[in-house]
Amino acid sequence: MAETMIDVRELPRDEAYVALEDHLQLALDGIRDPIAVMATMSCLLYHGFGHLWAGFYRVVGRERLLVGPYQGSLGCLEIAFGRGVCGTAAAERRTIVVPDVGTFPGHIACDARARSEIVVPVTDRGGALIAVLDIDSESPSTFDDRDARALERLVRVFAEPDGVPPAPPRR
Ligand code: SME
């Protein structure tokens, strides 16, 4: 179990994600329960980079996203597929990098301080869309293709077999 938080702000971008991924695997210790993974990943991304908001919107019901584990200021609760950056990424199942949220039609401003954003679709082992990972920054143009590729790699953990350790034997 990793004992401490890490700060990756001083590292080159690619190294930062490798360090976070290593830390995530240590922290998860084989656990693949999706809610536990979402909570742990949100925590590491938020504190590791010092972002404004980092977390998940889960697919619940028909074409509806509901806020899931996150770190940061209060997130909007529900987002319909096709609405905002999250809903568009979910509907189109593609990563969206927004250098300036003011230019994205229908951007949903949960926190007025947000200037740039990235949203990455999350799929399970069977290829079903289960969530989107959303990260918001107070600075413009925080995210680019390197973040997109690294985060897409990071969320592949949700497609791994469930590694929740078996319950201890009952006496
Ligand atoms: N800005 C997002 C909404 C979620 S919050 O930023 C946490 C969007 O436009 O989908």
Side-chain angles (χ1 to χ4, degrees), residues 53 57 73-76 79 83-88 101 104 106-111 114 117 119 134 136:
W53 200 94
Y57 281 89
S73 50
L74 265 185
C76 311
I79 299 174
R83 295 280 318 281
V85 188
C86 291
T88 304
V101 296
F104 191 92
H107 168 259
I108 302 165
C110 301
D111 187 322
E117 177 166 0
V119 179
D134 178 19
D136 297 274

Short mmCIF file of all heavy atoms in Angstrom, two decimals, residues 53 57 73-76 79 83-88 101 104 106-111 114 117 119 134 136, ligand 1:
data_model
loop_
_atom_site.label_atom_id
_atom_site.label_comp_id
_atom_site.label_asym_id
_atom_site.label_seq_id
_atom_site.Cartn_x
_atom_site.Cartn_y
_atom_site.Cartn_z
N TRP A 53 -10.50 20.11 -10.54
CA TRP A 53 -11.51 19.07 -10.34
C TRP A 53 -11.04 17.83 -11.09
O TRP A 53 -10.55 17.92 -12.22
CB TRP A 53 -12.84 19.54 -10.93
CG TRP A 53 -14.07 18.85 -10.43
CD1 TRP A 53 -14.87 19.26 -9.40
CD2 TRP A 53 -14.70 17.65 -10.95
NE1 TRP A 53 -15.93 18.39 -9.25
CE2 TRP A 53 -15.85 17.41 -10.18
CE3 TRP A 53 -14.38 16.76 -11.99
CZ2 TRP A 53 -16.69 16.31 -10.42
CZ3 TRP A 53 -15.21 15.67 -12.22
CH2 TRP A 53 -16.35 15.46 -11.44
N TYR A 57 -18.02 10.76 -14.06
CA TYR A 57 -19.47 10.72 -14.22
C TYR A 57 -19.79 9.32 -14.72
O TYR A 57 -19.24 8.88 -15.74
CB TYR A 57 -19.95 11.78 -15.21
CG TYR A 57 -20.02 13.15 -14.57
CD1 TYR A 57 -18.94 14.00 -14.57
CD2 TYR A 57 -21.18 13.56 -13.91
CE1 TYR A 57 -18.99 15.24 -13.95
CE2 TYR A 57 -21.25 14.80 -13.28
CZ TYR A 57 -20.15 15.63 -13.30
OH TYR A 57 -20.22 16.84 -12.68
N SER A 73 -14.28 20.97 -6.11
CA SER A 73 -15.50 21.66 -5.70
C SER A 73 -16.72 20.88 -6.17
O SER A 73 -16.60 19.96 -6.98
CB SER A 73 -15.50 23.08 -6.25
OG SER A 73 -15.21 23.07 -7.63
N LEU A 74 -17.90 21.26 -5.68
CA LEU A 74 -19.11 20.50 -5.98
C LEU A 74 -19.32 20.32 -7.47
O LEU A 74 -19.33 21.29 -8.23
CB LEU A 74 -20.33 21.24 -5.42
CG LEU A 74 -20.85 20.85 -4.04
CD1 LEU A 74 -22.13 21.63 -3.74
CD2 LEU A 74 -21.11 19.35 -3.95
N GLY A 75 -19.50 19.08 -7.89
CA GLY A 75 -19.76 18.81 -9.30
C GLY A 75 -21.25 18.82 -9.58
O GLY A 75 -22.07 18.56 -8.68
N CYS A 76 -21.63 19.14 -10.83
CA CYS A 76 -23.03 19.04 -11.22
C CYS A 76 -23.44 17.58 -11.06
O CYS A 76 -22.62 16.68 -11.24
CB CYS A 76 -23.20 19.43 -12.67
SG CYS A 76 -22.40 20.98 -13.09
N ILE A 79 -25.84 14.76 -16.00
CA ILE A 79 -25.56 15.31 -17.33
C ILE A 79 -26.12 14.33 -18.36
O ILE A 79 -25.82 13.13 -18.32
CB ILE A 79 -24.04 15.49 -17.55
CG1 ILE A 79 -23.45 16.47 -16.52
CG2 ILE A 79 -23.76 15.98 -18.96
CD1 ILE A 79 -21.93 16.60 -16.57
N ARG A 83 -24.86 16.52 -23.83
CA ARG A 83 -24.78 17.84 -23.20
C ARG A 83 -23.37 18.10 -22.66
O ARG A 83 -22.77 17.21 -22.03
CB ARG A 83 -25.77 17.93 -22.02
CG ARG A 83 -27.23 17.84 -22.40
CD ARG A 83 -27.79 19.16 -22.91
NE ARG A 83 -27.35 20.32 -22.13
CZ ARG A 83 -27.87 20.69 -20.96
NH1 ARG A 83 -28.84 19.98 -20.41
NH2 ARG A 83 -27.41 21.75 -20.33
N GLY A 84 -22.89 19.31 -22.85
CA GLY A 84 -21.59 19.68 -22.29
C GLY A 84 -20.45 18.82 -22.84
O GLY A 84 -20.63 18.05 -23.79
N VAL A 85 -19.30 18.97 -22.22
CA VAL A 85 -18.14 18.22 -22.69
C VAL A 85 -18.29 16.74 -22.32
O VAL A 85 -18.04 15.83 -23.12
CB VAL A 85 -16.83 18.79 -22.09
CG1 VAL A 85 -15.62 18.12 -22.74
CG2 VAL A 85 -16.76 20.31 -22.27
N CYS A 86 -18.74 16.51 -21.09
CA CYS A 86 -18.89 15.12 -20.61
C CYS A 86 -19.91 14.36 -21.44
O CYS A 86 -19.66 13.22 -21.88
CB CYS A 86 -19.31 15.11 -19.14
SG CYS A 86 -18.02 15.68 -18.03
N GLY A 87 -21.07 14.99 -21.64
CA GLY A 87 -22.14 14.32 -22.38
C GLY A 87 -21.77 14.09 -23.84
O GLY A 87 -22.18 13.09 -24.44
N THR A 88 -20.99 15.00 -24.40
CA THR A 88 -20.55 14.84 -25.79
C THR A 88 -19.53 13.70 -25.89
O THR A 88 -19.60 12.86 -26.79
CB THR A 88 -19.93 16.16 -26.31
OG1 THR A 88 -20.90 17.20 -26.15
CG2 THR A 88 -19.53 16.05 -27.77
N VAL A 101 -12.66 26.53 -22.31
CA VAL A 101 -14.04 26.06 -22.14
C VAL A 101 -15.06 27.08 -22.66
O VAL A 101 -16.18 26.72 -23.01
CB VAL A 101 -14.35 25.70 -20.66
CG1 VAL A 101 -13.50 24.53 -20.20
CG2 VAL A 101 -14.17 26.91 -19.75
N PHE A 104 -16.37 26.10 -26.07
CA PHE A 104 -17.04 24.82 -26.31
C PHE A 104 -18.55 25.03 -26.18
O PHE A 104 -19.05 25.37 -25.11
CB PHE A 104 -16.58 23.76 -25.30
CG PHE A 104 -17.04 22.37 -25.65
CD1 PHE A 104 -16.25 21.54 -26.41
CD2 PHE A 104 -18.30 21.91 -25.24
CE1 PHE A 104 -16.68 20.26 -26.75
CE2 PHE A 104 -18.74 20.65 -25.58
CZ PHE A 104 -17.93 19.81 -26.34
N GLY A 106 -22.13 24.81 -25.25
CA GLY A 106 -22.87 24.04 -24.25
C GLY A 106 -22.04 23.59 -23.07
O GLY A 106 -22.51 22.78 -22.26
N HIS A 107 -20.81 24.09 -22.98
CA HIS A 107 -19.99 23.73 -21.81
C HIS A 107 -20.77 23.98 -20.53
O HIS A 107 -21.41 25.03 -20.37
CB HIS A 107 -18.69 24.54 -21.80
CG HIS A 107 -17.94 24.44 -20.51
ND1 HIS A 107 -17.97 25.43 -19.55
CD2 HIS A 107 -17.17 23.44 -20.01
CE1 HIS A 107 -17.23 25.05 -18.52
NE2 HIS A 107 -16.73 23.85 -18.77
N ILE A 108 -20.73 23.02 -19.60
CA ILE A 108 -21.45 23.15 -18.33
C ILE A 108 -20.46 23.63 -17.28
O ILE A 108 -19.50 22.92 -16.95
CB ILE A 108 -22.08 21.81 -17.92
CG1 ILE A 108 -23.02 21.30 -19.02
CG2 ILE A 108 -22.82 21.95 -16.59
CD1 ILE A 108 -23.41 19.84 -18.88
N ALA A 109 -20.68 24.83 -16.77
CA ALA A 109 -19.73 25.43 -15.81
C ALA A 109 -20.15 25.09 -14.38
O ALA A 109 -20.88 25.83 -13.73
CB ALA A 109 -19.67 26.93 -16.01
N CYS A 110 -19.68 23.92 -13.90
CA CYS A 110 -19.96 23.56 -12.50
C CYS A 110 -19.18 24.49 -11.58
O CYS A 110 -19.63 24.82 -10.49
CB CYS A 110 -19.55 22.12 -12.23
SG CYS A 110 -20.37 20.92 -13.28
N ASP A 111 -18.00 24.90 -12.01
CA ASP A 111 -17.16 25.81 -11.23
C ASP A 111 -16.68 26.90 -12.19
O ASP A 111 -16.00 26.60 -13.18
CB ASP A 111 -15.97 25.05 -10.63
CG ASP A 111 -15.14 25.89 -9.67
OD1 ASP A 111 -14.96 27.10 -9.94
OD2 ASP A 111 -14.68 25.34 -8.66
N ALA A 114 -13.12 27.20 -13.86
CA ALA A 114 -12.57 26.27 -14.87
C ALA A 114 -12.25 27.01 -16.16
O ALA A 114 -13.05 27.82 -16.64
CB ALA A 114 -13.57 25.15 -15.13
N GLU A 117 -10.29 21.83 -19.99
CA GLU A 117 -10.88 20.57 -19.55
C GLU A 117 -10.50 19.43 -20.48
O GLU A 117 -10.22 19.65 -21.65
CB GLU A 117 -12.41 20.77 -19.55
CG GLU A 117 -13.24 19.56 -19.19
CD GLU A 117 -14.70 19.94 -18.89
OE1 GLU A 117 -15.05 21.14 -18.98
OE2 GLU A 117 -15.48 19.03 -18.58
N VAL A 119 -11.97 15.27 -21.16
CA VAL A 119 -12.91 14.22 -20.78
C VAL A 119 -12.57 12.96 -21.59
O VAL A 119 -12.42 13.02 -22.82
CB VAL A 119 -14.37 14.63 -21.02
CG1 VAL A 119 -15.32 13.50 -20.64
CG2 VAL A 119 -14.72 15.90 -20.22
N ASP A 134 -13.39 13.08 -16.04
CA ASP A 134 -13.41 14.52 -16.34
C ASP A 134 -12.37 15.22 -15.48
O ASP A 134 -12.33 15.01 -14.26
CB ASP A 134 -14.82 15.06 -16.03
CG ASP A 134 -14.93 16.56 -16.26
OD1 ASP A 134 -14.08 17.13 -16.97
OD2 ASP A 134 -15.88 17.17 -15.72
N ASP A 136 -10.72 19.16 -14.79
CA ASP A 136 -10.83 20.59 -15.07
C ASP A 136 -9.64 21.31 -14.48
O ASP A 136 -9.16 20.97 -13.39
CB ASP A 136 -12.11 21.15 -14.43
CG ASP A 136 -13.35 20.53 -15.02
OD1 ASP A 136 -13.82 21.03 -16.05
OD2 ASP A 136 -13.82 19.53 -14.46
N1 SME B 1 -17.74 20.97 -17.50
C1 SME B 1 -18.37 19.68 -17.63
C2 SME B 1 -19.33 19.42 -16.50
C3 SME B 1 -18.74 18.70 -15.35
S1 SME B 1 -17.89 19.69 -14.30
O1 SME B 1 -16.88 20.41 -15.01
C4 SME B 1 -17.28 18.87 -13.03
C5 SME B 1 -19.09 19.58 -18.95
O2 SME B 1 -19.23 20.57 -19.68
O3 SME B 1 -19.53 18.49 -19.27
#
